[in-house]
Amino acid sequence: MKPSLHTVVWACLIVSVAEPVRAQPDALEAPAATATTTAESSTAGDEYFEKHIRPILSQKCYSCHSSRANKREGGLVLDSRAGWRAGGDRGAALAPGMPDESLLIQAIRYTDENLQMPPDEPLAPGVIRDFERWVRMGAPDTRLEAIDHEAGMNVPSDPVAGRAHWAFRPLHRPPLPQVQAAGWPKTASDTFVLARLEADDLRPAPDADRRTLLRRTYFLLIGLPPNAQQVAAFLRDNREDAFERLVDQLLDSSHFGERWGRHWLDLARYADSNGLDENFLFREAWRYRNWVIDAFNADLPFDAFLLQQLAGDLLPYESIEQRDRQRTAAGFLVIGPKVLLGNNPQERVMDVADEQLDTIGKAILGQTLGCARCHDHKFDPIPTADYYALAGIMTSTHVMQQRYMLGQQRVMERLVGLGPDGNTANAAYEKYWRESKTLQARAKQGQAALDLLENGKEEELGAFAKKQAEAVAEASLDVDRPREERIAMQQKHLATLVAAATPPSIPPRAMIPSDVEQPGDEAIRLAGQFNRPGKKVPRGFLRVVSDAPAEIPKTQSGRQELAHWLTDVEHGAGSLAARVLANRVWHHLMGRGIVRTVDNLGRTGEAPSHPELLDALASRLIESDWSVKALIREIVLSRSFAMSSRHDEQAHAVDPENRLLWRAHRRRLGPEAFRDAMLAAAGTLDPKPLDSTVSYLGDQATAVGANKNRRRTDFPCRSVYLPVIRNDLPEVFDVFDFADPHATTGLRPETIVATQGLFVLNDTSVMDAARATARTLLETSCLDETGATQPASVRVERMFERILHTRPTNDEREALLTFIRQTEDRLTAEGAEEPTVQAWTVACHALFASSRFQILD
């Protein structure tokens, strides 16, 4: 018998009432979260328009509906925002947010014979869906309100003029500013933060208490909570460097890579399946995932980290193990989603290159490179020529190959064998699948020949052998041999045929790219259309960073040169890449980036709140030989990191979004930390690393059609190892704002919606964790050291320490004890099974549902 829903809700209310009362702005920082999300979503909307909508309008609509062409058929112009807002003879063309009410959408759907646009032929279904999504997003439009052909315009894509933008300027370590409260800073970062606060007559919040700081540090560094023994040990440690020792211990933990590797996997759009039109399983993607985790644990310098991911298959090596590690890292280029059906092979090549450039641009450079595919970038200094200079590097790289899947030859992700015999084993595996139908048919024919022989049908066997000679043992046709010997010879031959038709074991393989046989430069595609090549552009890099020509050997793709350029501070994009990475590290540790639009440091992104601090952190990163752990350590040991989240009315009035960092940001645990913390409290978390968690799936990753096999989420492992199937994420990921595995995600969404509360109250995994926690408490907290039974109040203490890592107040203790006693009495009266376990289960469930568990203070 399960406790009723209203019982659990009532228990949650008890815990909520007992929680400390806080000022409203301190709740979950909804205003700041909203501001950040709005800025990011606005940028995403502009990018969506530039990538999916503007090119189609230009190709299909402007010839009849634009001021440029001086044509206004039906009174409608579509080359400006004002045009579609004003509409034509029938009224406004769009109703933002309501595609079904929009005339433009009705026209392109061809559902009304009197309203069909374009008039010559309908748009492709995928394009129509793009427009519907655009309108649903609110019809973001980056264009001017109206076209003024007389006024003239500057050229935002000019790479020389673009160097004035703050993100593209050379990096210089700024001097420390003067501050009044000179005793407050512990690190250089603190000095920059304090100077900015003092400029607005603000002061930093007090330090967080040791329990709060301990819980914050554990979750942010390793993604797990401290257990009761770890809390007690830290509270007992009175040495001056106790916190420093703790930070070093966590940085050395193998769990560090599981937490920080997941941050990079968000950027790398990691998934265990292809998604999109053919959601095939990426059976070997886990090798790249585990390489990322290992790289963060080893503190692989960021420049080497990028080099191996972009060109690991091209690097020299001293051992087979090193070769395989480097090759596996290059899976970064292979794991993106790809449209596999219904497109021209050349179009597919360009689409894959675009997806790779979009990922590299956002993840490493904080730039929206994809917006320059169809035209010069409308906001940032990236001309189309620079886009295709980079695209030539990607189109000179193989990431797909012909493979046999679902019994058919398909274009799929490129796989290469690992180990000393990897290439041979991989070739044998592919050879089998090419010939599998023939081999299986031959085995059936061999069985048919044996049946004829055993049944004495000699004449039929002879005729059969003439048609299917390879299925029949030659000796079995020799009538001068004894019949038993001939049967034995055919049985032996049949065994050989069956063995040949049996699928070999899958060799260890990884998703690995390679250079094409003849690398070459790419032509600019007019309006981004793959079949409209224009002038060829030499392979190279972004000119806004450097005018120096790229020196790429003709026989190579240029991936090695690109990787080196990305972190070259003197002649490449090193300053920009360092700013992007330093900003990401600050974002993950402090709750908000210095630039809140962490994936966009261009003109449409936000300006940095502390530009000197950002440059100081980026400089420190480079000086440490690109050590991510060193940068994390410096920030975590700062006074700024250790601030409490205490509310201050004066500061809130001046800086309601806490951009100046006058207190710590409160934030909700991500889905991985939320799930892992529940399993840790329940004692059911298996902390060991895992390899594949999708090996049981077939070639089709999702349960569609005849395939009923679906991904599992019942593994007791860390959440970073759970299957990430595009279009079918684990429920806890889907509900609690996991990264979109189709695209680079440096800033996950931040939502507070009813489905999250319903999940916590009703999902089986949460209930199971609560039940396991209750059993553990009842089994381990009943007796003291002398064997005497302890009071229930001690069990409540243990429950709080186990789940919330703190102690209950007297009011909280009494409220929960009363609730538990009343629930147990009621369940006993109802004849329920294990009423004591059920009552404590509901109490544990209530703590899991509380904000004190789900929110990091």
Side-chain angles (χ1 to χ4, degrees), residues 450 453 481-491:
L450 179 61
L453 186 58
R481 292 174 181 265
R483 185 164 174 272
E484 291 75 11
E485 182 180 337
R486 294 165 60 200
I487 291 175
M489 297 300 293
Q490 180 61 24
Q491 289 174 332

Side-chain angles (χ1 to χ4, degrees), residues 392-595:
I393 297 173
M394 296 297 117
T395 58
S396 293
T397 304
H398 274 312
V399 296
M400 304 175 75
Q401 67 185 56
Q402 291 286 342
R403 287 183 27 229
Y404 280 80
M405 183 165 285
L406 300 177
Q408 300 179 29
Q409 192 173 32
R410 301 289 184 105
V411 176
M412 275 303 301
E413 82 280 7
R414 188 171 185 273
L415 293 177
V416 176
L418 301 175
D421 301 321
N423 291 338
T424 302
N426 187 58
Y429 185 77
E430 291 298 328
K431 180 176 184 294
Y432 166 79
W433 284 109
R434 285 196 301 272
E435 301 173 356
S436 59
K437 290 185 177 180
T438 300
L439 295 173
Q440 291 165 5
R442 193 171 294 156
K444 291 181 180 180
Q445 295 160 1
Q447 180 64 55
L450 179 61
D451 293 342
L452 291 173
L453 186 58
E454 288 177 337
N455 291 322
K457 299 180 179 180
E458 302 287 347
E459 292 184 5
E460 292 184 33
L461 177 62
F464 183 85
K466 291 180 180 179
K467 296 180 179 179
Q468 310 291 345
E470 294 184 14
V472 182
E474 187 175 346
S476 69
L477 299 174
D478 187 353
V479 295
D480 293 333
R481 292 174 181 265
R483 185 164 174 272
E484 291 75 11
E485 182 180 337
R486 294 165 60 200
I487 291 175
M489 297 300 293
Q490 180 61 24
Q491 289 174 332
K492 183 178 179 181
H493 185 62
L494 175 60
T496 302
L497 297 177
V498 170
T502 302
S505 60
I506 301 175
R509 303 191 292 177
M511 302 167 70
I512 300 171
S514 71
D515 279 1
V516 299
E517 291 185 10
Q518 295 181 326
D521 300 331
E522 195 55 70
I524 294 176
R525 295 306 201 270
L526 303 180
Q529 298 180 54
F530 76 95
N531 56 356
R532 294 182 62 196
K535 178 184 176 182
K536 275 201 172 184
V537 181
R539 280 167 289 161
F541 316 129
L542 298 182
R543 284 174 288 164
V544 67
V545 173
S546 173
D547 280 329
E551 297 181 359
I552 298 176
K554 291 184 178 180
T555 58
Q556 298 179 18
S557 62
R559 285 185 285 130
Q560 283 193 76
E561 291 74 17
L562 172 60
H564 287 301
W565 175 83
L566 286 169
T567 54
D568 184 342
V569 179
E570 295 297 325
H571 307 291
S575 293
L576 176 58
R579 285 186 176 107
V580 171
L581 179 58
N583 187 57
R584 292 192 190 283
V585 172
W586 186 269
H587 160 74
H588 289 304
L589 292 173
M590 308 301 286
R592 298 287 183 274
I594 298 171
V595 179

Side-chain angles (χ1 to χ4, degrees), residues 270-272 289 693-694 696-697 711-715 717 719-725 728-730 733 738:
Y270 173 80
D272 292 299
R289 177 200 67 202
T693 52
V694 297
Y696 51 89
L697 292 174
R711 54 101 184 111
R712 291 168 46 200
T713 58
D714 58 349
F715 300 96
C717 60
S719 298
V720 70
Y721 300 110
L722 288 182
V724 180
I725 303 298
D728 189 21
L729 293 174
F733 288 4
F738 187 72

Side-chain angles (χ1 to χ4, degrees), residues 169-409:
R169 294 172 189 165
L171 189 62
H172 298 292
R173 179 186 278 273
L176 288 178
Q178 296 295 316
V179 293
Q180 298 173 17
W184 187 81
K186 289 175 61 178
T187 67
S189 300
D190 293 331
T191 306
F192 288 107
V193 170
L194 181 61
R196 189 68 183 83
L197 289 172
E198 290 181 346
D200 280 18
D201 294 326
L202 300 178
R203 61 180 181 273
D207 294 344
D209 65 81
R210 297 193 82 192
R211 280 183 182 270
T212 298
L213 181 61
L214 179 69
R215 186 173 189 261
R216 180 189 300 172
T217 306
Y218 260 82
F219 271 116
L220 293 181
L221 291 191
I222 65 172
L224 290 171
N227 59 38
Q229 293 75 25
Q230 290 164 334
V231 172
F234 180 68
L235 296 179
R236 286 195 308 266
D237 193 343
N238 294 319
R239 291 173 293 184
E240 288 187 4
D241 63 346
F243 184 63
E244 186 174 345
R245 290 169 179 265
L246 170 72
V247 171
D248 289 338
Q249 172 192 334
L250 295 178
L251 289 173
D252 287 339
S253 167
S254 62
H255 298 310
F256 170 82
E258 292 167 336
R259 167 72 174 183
W260 282 81
R262 182 59 251 183
H263 293 325
W264 181 259
L265 294 172
D266 282 6
L267 302 175
R269 78 280 191 235
Y270 173 80
D272 292 299
S273 74
N274 181 67
L276 299 182
D277 59 341
E278 288 280 9
N279 203 358
F280 288 138
L281 187 69
F282 285 170
R283 197 174 296 280
E284 307 296 342
W286 67 270
R287 297 184 190 275
Y288 170 75
R289 177 200 67 202
N290 285 12
W291 177 87
V292 170
I293 292 171
D294 292 342
F296 272 92
N297 277 332
D299 197 22
L300 183 66
F302 188 68
D303 53 352
F305 182 72
L306 291 184
L307 176 62
Q308 293 186 31
Q309 290 184 86
L310 292 174
D313 56 302
L314 305 176
L315 300 178
Y317 52 88
E318 297 179 357
S319 67
I320 295 297
E321 291 75 17
Q322 181 188 7
R323 181 202 69 179
D324 287 349
R325 284 196 303 272
Q326 293 173 171
R327 283 172 150 190
T328 300
F332 170 80
L333 294 174
V334 187
I335 59 174
K338 307 166 189 71
V339 175
L340 301 176
L341 293 179
N343 56 357
N344 182 286
Q346 186 57 36
E347 181 181 15
R348 186 185 302 124
V349 168
M350 298 307 300
D351 286 347
V352 169
D354 180 70
E355 192 276 336
Q356 292 166 333
L357 290 180
D358 186 68
T359 301
I360 292 169
K362 291 177 182 174
I364 303 169
L365 299 175
Q367 300 295 312
T368 54
L369 299 182
C371 292
R373 179 181 183 179
C374 303
H375 48 72
D376 291 344
H377 205 295
K378 297 299 178 182
F379 304 103
D380 291 323
I382 306 171
T384 304
D386 285 10
Y387 173 91
Y388 284 96
L390 290 166
I393 297 173
M394 296 297 117
T395 58
S396 293
T397 304
H398 274 312
V399 296
M400 304 175 75
Q401 67 185 56
Q402 291 286 342
R403 287 183 27 229
Y404 280 80
M405 183 165 285
L406 300 177
Q408 300 179 29
Q409 192 173 32

Side-chain angles (χ1 to χ4, degrees), residues 42-62:
S42 174
T43 301
D46 291 348
E47 182 183 340
Y48 189 87
F49 174 80
E50 288 294 332
K51 190 170 185 177
H52 297 283
I53 305 304
R54 186 200 280 261
I56 301 301
L57 291 174
S58 176
Q59 296 164 23
K60 301 292 186 179
C61 306
Y62 285 2

Side-chain angles (χ1 to χ4, degrees), residues 117-140:
M117 293 291 167
D120 48 353
E121 61 177 346
L123 299 175
V127 175
I128 295 173
R129 287 194 295 270
D130 289 342
F131 270 81
E132 291 170 342
R133 181 183 176 190
W134 172 59
V135 175
R136 202 172 292 117
M137 294 166 68

